[in-house]
Amino acid sequence: MKKNDKKQDIIHSAMKIFQETGFEKTSVSQIVKKAGVAQGTFYLYFQSKNDLIPSIAEFIVNELLTKLSQYPENTFKDVPSFIDCLIETTFYITKEYKNLIGFCYSGLSFYKSFEEWEKMYEPYYRYINDKINYFQENDLITSRLSSDVLGNYIVGLLEHGAEMYYLFRNEKDDLNKSKKDLSVALHQLLL
């Protein structure tokens, strides 16, 4: 087993246990047992279980990017298709990892700096900024805000919309309406 595989096994095991029993009730011993590694191996990569939080958040962002990369490139030749793919992917990832997302937010804000959080998001912002630059260069969006500013707004709206539905919704909320409202907001921002 490669060194990096052991680190990934620890992260995946921690994610499963955190989802089942919660962060506070999980011990390093439980994590290493599930990962099939020695306790000393854990400490090669992490000083404490708190240090797992950025790795878990980074894993979720990478999953989002992996899911987006599975769309054919020609899917993103127009803004409405791009918006639809972003919404579907963000809602899918949020649903998949909803038990860990709130934990990551609170853990990163408590244990780590927001600079680390932004660094984690750099590949995602770059991905969105590249698409925005393409749309701007081809006069497909009317907004002349910089791609950095638009990218931050888009990510914020996407995450807020998906998290409001999956983390804070009441039983009256409708998934399709939530996605439609988000789509309207993004269309108004870009077109």
Side-chain angles (χ1 to χ4, degrees):
M1 186 182 296
K2 294 179 184 174
K3 243 184 165 182
N4 200 34
D5 291 342
K6 288 182 182 182
K7 182 178 181 181
Q8 293 307 312
D9 288 344
I10 292 168
I11 293 166
H12 291 285
S13 296
M15 288 170 56
K16 287 177 186 170
I17 296 172
F18 290 160
Q19 286 182 305
E20 294 167 6
T21 62
F23 181 77
E24 293 300 323
K25 293 181 182 179
T26 300
S27 68
V28 171
S29 298
Q30 291 171 300
I31 295 168
V32 298
K33 182 178 179 183
K34 185 161 191 73
V37 300
Q39 193 141 346
T41 304
F42 178 91
Y43 292 107
L44 289 173
Y45 303 106
F46 306 101
Q47 292 181 2
S48 69
K49 71 178 181 179
N50 297 340
D51 286 341
L52 284 161
I53 297 167
S55 295
I56 292 170
E58 187 173 17
F59 172 85
I60 294 169
V61 171
N62 287 335
E63 285 293 295
L64 178 66
L65 286 169
T66 298
K67 190 92 173 135
L68 285 168
S69 73
Q70 293 171 350
Y71 288 101
E73 186 59 32
N74 65 354
T75 305
F76 304 121
K77 294 298 181 196
D78 65 83
V79 176
S81 296
F82 179 60
I83 289 171
D84 289 345
C85 291
L86 286 175
I87 291 170
E88 289 305 316
T89 303
T90 304
F91 272 71
Y92 172 83
I93 292 295
T94 304
K95 179 181 179 186
E96 192 75 13
Y97 298 105
K98 65 183 177 184
N99 294 336
L100 292 171
I101 290 172
F103 151 76
C104 286
Y105 281 147
S106 63
L108 279 170
S109 66
F110 187 74
Y111 298 112
K112 299 291 178 179
S113 69
F114 283 107
E115 289 82 24
E116 234 179 294
W117 185 263
E118 288 301 308
K119 184 179 178 186
M120 231 175 288
Y121 267 79
E122 280 178 9
Y124 185 37
Y125 287 133
R126 192 169 38 254
Y127 174 86
I128 290 179
N129 292 349
D130 288 348
K131 303 298 181 202
I132 292 168
N133 285 329
Y134 167 81
F135 295 138
Q136 285 178 328
E137 288 166 5
N138 291 284
D139 293 321
L140 297 171
I141 61 175
T142 56
S143 177
R144 293 296 169 222
L145 292 172
S146 74
S147 61
D148 290 343
V149 170
L150 282 173
N152 281 321
Y153 288 157
I154 290 168
V155 169
L157 285 170
L158 288 165
E159 288 186 347
H160 180 74
E163 289 164 6
M164 288 304 295
Y165 182 77
Y166 287 112
L167 303 179
F168 305 109
R169 72 180 166 144
N170 65 49
E171 290 161 22
K172 294 184 226 171
D173 290 342
D174 176 76
L175 178 60
N176 290 327
K177 183 178 180 330
S178 294
K179 289 179 180 180
K180 179 67 177 163
D181 290 346
L182 182 55
S183 179
V184 167
L186 289 171
H187 277 84
Q188 289 178 352
L189 176 64
L190 296 172
L191 300 174

